[in-house]
Amino acid sequence: MAKQVLEGVKILDFSWALVGSITAKQLGDHGAQIVKIETSKRVDLARTDRQVSISKPNSFDDKPWFTHLNTSKYSMALNLKHPRSREVVDKLIQWADVVLENFTPGTMTKLGLDYESIKKQRPDIIMASGSVYGQTGPMAQEWGVDGTGNALSSRLYLTGWPDRGPVVPTSVPYGDVVLPTFIASAIIAALDYRRRTGKGQHIDAGMFEAIVHQTSPAIMDWVANRNLQGRTGNRSLYASPHGIFPCAGEDRWVAITVFTEDEWRALCRVMGNPAWSQEDRFSTLSARKENEDDLEAYISKWTRQSTPHEIMEECQAAGVPAGAVQNAEDLIEHDPQLKEREFLTPIEHPVLGTFGHPTPPYKLLRNKAGVRTSPCLGEHTFMVCTEFLNMPVEDFLELENEGVFV
Amino acid sequence: MTNRLLQGFRALDMTDEKGFVCGKVLAAMGVDVIKVERPGGDSSRNIPPFVDNDPDPEKCLLWLIYNTDKRGITLNLETAKGQDLFKELVKVSDFIIESFTPGYLESIGLDYDALSRLNRRIIMTSLTPFGQKGPYSRFKGGELIASAMSGVLLSNGYADRAPVKEALDANYFHANGAAVLGSVMAHYHREATGEGQQVDVSAQEVSASRNTNNILPYLFDKRMLKRSGDCQWLGLNPARWIWECKDGYVWHNLMGGKVGAPANRALSQWMDEDGIENPLREIKDWNTFDRSTVTMEEKTVREKAIAEFFLRHTKKELDTEGRRRGINAAVANTPDEVVEHPQLKARNYWVELEHAELGRSMQYPGHFFLSTETTTKIQRRAPLVGEHNKAVYQELLGLSDSEVEELKDNGVI
């Protein structure tokens, strides 16, 4: 296997919530050495929430959720509130290329670990801070999580049916996963910049600001036209049909989206050119938009007779964009495309056994990612101290006896 | 401060509307991104809405928003001369970003293998619905289909209706973020080794990669979560996340353990002060509150009371007084409220860009992140059709005025 892209890059990672964890994972999966600083006094959020029956309330090491977000890292237990922890942190700062954190802004300053302080010890350090509101401004220190970012950016308001209130914009995180793509990119670009200029920098990334770029088509419609967009269900301004249609089976659906007249004629052919499809009221995009309720009802009658995957295959063969609304079973057991891409790769975890770990969804065709399972809390404390920091064993034992590594 | 993170590098951006954002971010980091359009302009310029609701290809909002900081040229890639010119540009570029159906570039001799022979440093980032290889690789896709095929869509919406999509092009926005990351990762490798490569991004897989909440219950318990509208599945039960207030909606949930305790106490106290029914009062120790063990009965009683509380208050109260008390609720801002938001204003988030040809200026979201050392703010409006033809073809390829004119006359540019 070719060398990993980020081999030799050292990341001191104070993350304890999703934004930081996922950022570090992106870097670790491509070979960076991540030392994740943790403490049992205040554990990473994902070490506590239980989503599956194997996870017990009294363990920090049996949450597959944590594993999915924290692959390819070393875990070091270190109680930052212990006065002597700073001796270890100072060594880690000398060791690291990058310091990553996602505390509420202000916390690193209280710990004496803000950029200005760290920079005094290491002038070329790269530091990246992820938060909801950003590091400055009147609300910088407000509490926030993924849901906050959704709400602030208008993403929440814009998701759902026009005749009902907003729905949770997916049952899965969004800002928590999207923001890390920008932070990780910024970190790598900063490493490249440092290689060219010798200079470090502090990256300040806020979820609110990053996600407003996603909702900016609606925001700019307000800015440019004073047009206030609302919830539109599954419909599109410039495509019809554009929706989710019921299929045979319980809670089975298919997505069909028609952007051109060619695609519309192809869909009609796939449906067997029923008489209704030849009516004038469906013959152009604007006509279909006007009669969209009827259009969707007719298409639903056709889709109901088949499975989502059958409709997808028939439509795609004819050049109509369509996709099954897949459930977790489809993804994990059947999807041949995700298998081709090794979406979930089986890796053994010391507590949870062997199960699928996601690989980075952007494939570098020359440098395959090397995903390792997530660490148990404090699993690598001794190794980090003695091997990465070259700490004499007796010094380690002394600090351990004082309760620094908990 | 005029330093940019990736100053001195150049990208050729051949994407349609599904891949604009990747180049936008690279351009904000200082890459000289050249948008390559077909002569006359890309069809994506016809996507509504438009500035002043005027359906003019130079007024397409999506184009304007997501192509900032790029230069723009036209080039007919289906002519031999156009292909030659493109190859010359590849020799002086560092990145190519493209979103064609896999196989198309090969059919016109411009696939990665062919181009890497001209410039072994070139990085080609390919952002497609399903990726470069595999049984679905030539399927058509888009926002709704990426969401459907990734499994993200099914759990979004109400049980009594079809699943409902996320706002706008959320999944493709994420896929673009992943494409930026893949591009920069490959760049870092290239700068160390001199070796470029292709980066293969699948929109389906990018979305599936955030579908942990659905994947894990199936992997471990063969359990599939149900759509539950304004509720979120966390642990074994759905918890309500969205609440109607007097004049809109707010996001709020009871977080567990020490992390959630102060906010939960603050909410309970505010409910008491309001003098309404408050079953939260019965929870004595919020530090040990575990949201994965809440029973359906407890949930129903508590959520009824919390719903009544939020209905008594306005967005403004919940924002100002709510933040003062620290109840951890967030107002579901409308797009106009985002524009007026004091935090974004305080951080100089908005950038006013001049549109002389439209006789106006417009305010744009200004940065994806900030840096103490480099400028990351957008600086230039999106290009007009063929706006930089002369500059690019003359400056980069050394063509003369008459050669550029000839290309124009022959329909190459």
Side-chain angles (χ1 to χ4, degrees), chain A residues 204 209-210 213, chain B residues 347-349 365-370 376-378:
Chain A
D204 162 11
E209 293 174 344
H213 286 280
Chain B
R347 280 170 60 85
N348 296 316
Y349 180 66
H367 57 259
F368 285 82
F369 54 84
L370 293 171
T376 56
K377 280 202 186 302
I378 64 163

Side-chain angles (χ1 to χ4, degrees), chain B residues 217-230:
Chain B
Y218 183 83
L219 270 185
F220 282 83
D221 296 337
K222 293 282 179 283
R223 187 163 57 91
M224 290 203 264
L225 306 188
K226 297 278 178 217
R227 281 191 299 290
S228 36
D230 47 16

Side-chain angles (χ1 to χ4, degrees), chain B residues 29-50:
Chain B
M29 292 202 261
V31 175
D32 173 21
V33 178
I34 300 173
K35 186 85 193 68
V36 182
E37 294 185 73
R38 66 181 188 204
D42 273 353
S43 59
S44 53
R45 289 176 174 272
N46 301 317
I47 295 172
F50 298 89

Side-chain angles (χ1 to χ4, degrees), chain A residues 169-189:
Chain A
T170 83
S171 68
V172 297
Y174 187 78
D176 273 346
V177 188
V178 174
L179 184 60
T181 66
F182 301 123
I183 305 179
S185 300
I187 289 171
I188 300 168

Side-chain angles (χ1 to χ4, degrees), chain A residues 38-58:
Chain A
E38 303 194 75
T39 172
S40 56
K41 304 280 179 198
R42 194 171 192 271
V43 296
D44 186 294
L45 275 179
R47 286 199 186 273
T48 56
D49 258 327
R50 285 179 293 137
Q51 300 194 335
V52 295
S53 56
I54 197 172
S55 302
K56 301 287 177 279
N58 55 3

Side-chain angles (χ1 to χ4, degrees), chain A residues 78-382:
Chain A
L78 186 64
N79 179 9
L80 294 173
K81 297 215 167 131
H82 192 291
R84 291 196 65 187
S85 68
R86 188 61 201 236
E87 297 168 29
V88 183
V89 170
D90 285 344
K91 288 191 175 71
L92 284 162
I93 288 171
Q94 289 307 321
W95 166 84
D97 297 297
V98 178
V99 174
L100 173 67
E101 62 95 12
N102 70 174
F103 290 115
T104 305
T107 305
M108 288 297 266
T109 310
K110 278 183 217 147
L111 291 167
L113 292 171
D114 52 295
Y115 176 63
E116 290 306 322
S117 308
I118 293 177
K119 198 179 158 188
K120 282 193 193 111
Q121 285 173 265
R122 275 288 303 281
D124 66 344
I125 198 79
I126 292 162
M127 181 162 167
S129 299
S131 63
V132 171
Y133 291 92
Q135 298 296 309
T136 58
M139 296 175 199
Q141 301 193 8
E142 294 293 340
W143 178 92
V145 291
D146 184 80
T148 320
N150 278 325
L152 289 169
S153 65
S154 75
R155 202 176 120 69
L156 174 56
Y157 174 80
L158 294 168
T159 296
W161 301 101
D163 62 333
R164 289 190 186 172
V167 301
V168 176
T170 83
S171 68
V172 297
Y174 187 78
D176 273 346
V177 188
V178 174
L179 184 60
T181 66
F182 301 123
I183 305 179
S185 300
I187 289 171
I188 300 168
L191 284 163
D192 179 56
Y193 182 88
R194 188 175 75 178
R195 204 156 51 184
R196 283 180 277 124
T197 65
K199 289 179 181 167
Q201 59 192 287
H202 184 202
I203 304 290
D204 162 11
M207 191 190 297
F208 184 6
E209 293 174 344
I211 302 307
V212 165
H213 286 280
Q214 192 251 303
T215 52
S216 59
I219 289 165
M220 295 293 288
D221 200 11
W222 171 256
V223 168
N225 302 322
R226 287 295 181 263
N227 177 38
L228 196 55
Q229 294 189 14
R231 291 178 287 281
T232 58
N234 290 321
R235 289 181 179 176
S236 160
L237 278 175
Y238 59 102
S240 177
H242 188 280
I244 302 299
F245 300 92
C247 294
E250 199 199 328
D251 202 25
R252 296 315 318 243
W253 310 83
V254 68
I256 300 175
T257 62
V258 166
F259 288 88
T260 67
E261 293 313 306
D262 279 350
E263 289 172 356
W264 168 242
R265 282 187 291 273
L267 176 63
C268 292
R269 275 199 304 282
V270 174
M271 293 189 294
N273 285 318
W276 65 263
S277 70
Q278 309 304 309
E279 291 174 27
D280 284 350
R281 63 193 180 121
F282 302 124
S283 65
T284 63
L285 170 63
S286 57
R288 290 193 295 278
K289 285 299 295 175
E290 253 171 62
N291 299 290
E292 207 155 15
D293 286 344
D294 287 351
L295 176 70
E296 290 177 354
Y298 277 124
I299 295 173
S300 299
K301 273 191 198 156
W302 172 68
T303 54
R304 260 183 230 284
Q305 299 160 23
S306 312
T307 69
H309 291 87
E310 286 166 356
I311 303 265
M312 170 176 79
E313 295 281 354
E314 282 180 61
C315 283
Q316 290 283 0
V320 179
V325 179
Q326 301 207 94
N327 60 31
E329 184 184 345
D330 296 330
L331 295 184
I332 294 160
E333 313 279 8
H334 309 300
D335 188 309
Q337 185 64 24
L338 291 176
K339 258 195 198 86
E340 162 86 28
R341 293 180 65 82
E342 298 181 58
F343 165 56
L344 289 176
T345 187
I347 301 176
E348 190 185 346
H349 180 278
V351 178
L352 295 164
T354 299
F355 66 103
H357 291 47
T359 58
Y362 42 93
K363 310 296 187 208
L364 273 60
L365 297 186
R366 207 185 276 280
N367 305 90
K368 197 176 169 185
V371 181
R372 291 177 290 115
T373 197
S374 70
C376 295
L377 206 164
E379 183 181 341
H380 304 98
T381 311
F382 180 75

Side-chain angles (χ1 to χ4, degrees), chain A residues 366, chain B residues 110-117 122 124 196-198:
Chain A
R366 207 185 276 280
Chain B
L110 300 178
D111 54 303
Y112 170 74
D113 286 341
L115 299 177
S116 67
R117 281 195 290 272
I122 200 77
M124 179 185 273
Q197 62 187 305
Q198 190 172 16

